[in-house]
Amino acid sequence: MNEAVSKRITELLNEQHMTNYQLHMKSGLPKSTIGNLVNCTYDSVKLRVIHEVCQGFGISITEFFNSPLFVEDHLEP
């Protein structure tokens, strides 16, 4: 799941032509948190953090998870 979150954030950064720094500024999350999410260095990601990432991208949580990355068959247990 963490890898899917990391890939989805990277996807959205590319789609919106944003840098990690811009996402940090728009979401209010620390730069280190953005870096940890992108580099997939968290054991688990809290929904609150994903919500703040979504606010930074200007999308809903539903839009965030509306990706083939989150299809059950693609996720590791």
Side-chain angles (χ1 to χ4, degrees):
M1 178 68 88
N2 288 348
E3 188 176 331
V5 169
S6 173
K7 287 180 180 179
R8 183 63 172 144
I9 291 171
T10 300
E11 225 176 44
L12 291 165
L13 285 168
N14 290 331
E15 284 175 16
Q16 295 197 16
H17 307 287
M18 287 175 65
T19 64
N20 289 8
Y21 181 77
Q22 289 170 316
L23 180 57
H24 144 71
M25 292 300 292
K26 290 184 176 188
S27 69
L29 289 167
K31 289 184 284 187
S32 60
T33 299
I34 301 297
N36 289 335
L37 290 168
V38 170
N39 296 318
C40 198
T41 57
Y42 277 120
D43 290 332
S44 65
V45 180
K46 293 182 179 185
L47 188 56
R48 176 192 59 78
V49 172
I50 292 174
H51 179 258
E52 290 180 34
V53 166
C54 291
Q55 289 181 320
F57 283 126
I59 63 171
S60 68
I61 290 178
T62 303
E63 289 173 286
F64 182 86
F65 286 110
N66 186 19
S67 165
L69 293 167
F70 298 104
V71 172
E72 190 73 30
D73 295 342
H74 298 145
L75 298 174
E76 290 187 27

